[in-house]
Amino acid sequence: MSRISVRGFAVASATAVTTVGAVVGVAAGSPAAASNDNFEATAADTTLLADIPAGQQAQVQTASLTQQADAQAAQASASAKKSAEEAARLQAAQDAKAKKDAADKDKADKDAKARDLETQAASRSAARDVSNLAVKSSYSVSDVQALARQIVPAGQFQCFSHIVNNESSWNYQATNSGSGAYGLVQALPGSKMSSAGDDWQTNPATQIKWGLNYMNERYGSPCGAWSFWQANSWY
């Protein structure tokens, strides 16, 4: 039967066989007896599992397995810790990006709101100057457009122009026979424009003032009204 060394549980069968051969050689007067001293030194340095009492053999084996299990557990713990640290790093990066995106969006929203407020303030300020414009008995399309340029802020004029062009083709006396809408911006009913002046039927400046105020109050600006018009074909 093979004998197992405690040192790593190495196979010691060859050692046992050599030991037996050496003993036989001594009994026969063989030259092998000359190397017996060296062999005994080697054999004496080796503790065989079979030489350990049976109860302690299990303890030795259990201790070795426990060491291996501890080493594996330590390696698994280190790997788990590394994975947790990497996951935490990635989560922190994602959180930081989400926070930055939210801050950028909030700033963009505030800037857009500030621009809208400035536009509305400019529009209202321009509308208050209508009373200074000269009143004529009749107005051509170019006259009406010139009035609009004086009343509507430059940055909003193009949007205002698109709406008026689609609604009335710049005819301040345009009337919708079906609905009764009237004027440049086709107010419905036309009498709504009396809030801007009693001459709402004959004065395009009054109609422009009312239309500008309507667009500012309902859509924030003429460009806001034009965006809605494009999507719905009315405003």
Side-chain angles (χ1 to χ4, degrees):
M1 177 179 293
S2 299
R3 293 183 177 183
I4 309 301
S5 173
V6 172
R7 297 179 181 179
F9 300 106
V11 177
S13 298
T15 302
V17 172
T18 304
T19 302
V20 172
V23 172
V24 172
V26 170
S30 171
S35 61
N36 189 47
D37 291 340
N38 292 334
F39 173 76
E40 288 179 350
T42 302
D45 190 48
T46 302
T47 301
L48 301 180
L49 186 60
D51 296 332
I52 298 175
Q56 295 181 13
Q57 291 181 18
Q59 294 178 2
V60 171
Q61 293 174 327
T62 300
S64 177
L65 292 174
T66 300
Q67 290 175 355
Q68 294 178 28
D70 289 344
Q72 291 174 355
Q75 183 177 5
S77 177
S79 178
K81 182 179 179 181
K82 183 177 180 181
S83 297
E85 291 175 347
E86 180 65 15
R89 186 187 67 78
L90 291 175
Q91 186 62 51
Q94 292 174 357
D95 292 344
K97 184 178 184 302
K99 185 176 181 180
K100 181 178 182 301
D101 291 343
D104 291 343
K105 184 179 184 302
D106 184 60
K107 183 177 183 302
D109 290 343
K110 288 181 179 179
D111 290 345
K113 185 175 181 179
R115 287 194 297 270
D116 287 343
L117 291 174
E118 291 176 359
T119 298
Q120 294 175 33
S123 296
R124 293 188 179 93
S125 177
R128 288 195 293 270
D129 296 335
V130 175
S131 60
N132 298 325
L133 300 175
V135 178
K136 299 170 66 173
S137 58
S138 63
Y139 300 85
S140 65
V141 170
S142 59
D143 289 337
V144 175
Q145 291 176 337
L147 286 171
R149 287 185 180 280
Q150 295 180 63
I151 298 170
V152 180
Q156 296 292 316
F157 177 77
Q158 197 64 41
C159 295
F160 185 90
S161 177
H162 285 318
I163 292 175
V164 173
N165 193 55
N166 280 280
E167 293 290 332
S168 64
S169 298
W170 291 95
N171 178 5
Y172 67 98
Q173 295 177 318
T175 303
N176 187 311
S177 58
S179 66
Y182 183 83
L184 293 170
V185 293
Q186 289 291 282
L188 180 64
S191 58
K192 283 184 176 181
M193 293 186 288
S194 63
S195 62
D198 294 335
D199 57 352
W200 59 271
Q201 291 177 298
T202 59
N203 190 346
T206 300
Q207 295 182 14
I208 294 168
K209 176 183 176 181
W210 183 88
L212 180 58
N213 285 337
Y214 171 78
M215 294 176 196
N216 284 336
E217 291 175 4
R218 188 176 181 107
Y219 300 102
S221 67
C223 284
W226 174 236
S227 294
F228 184 89
W229 197 100
Q230 288 177 292
N232 300 278
S233 296
W234 62 275
Y235 74 111

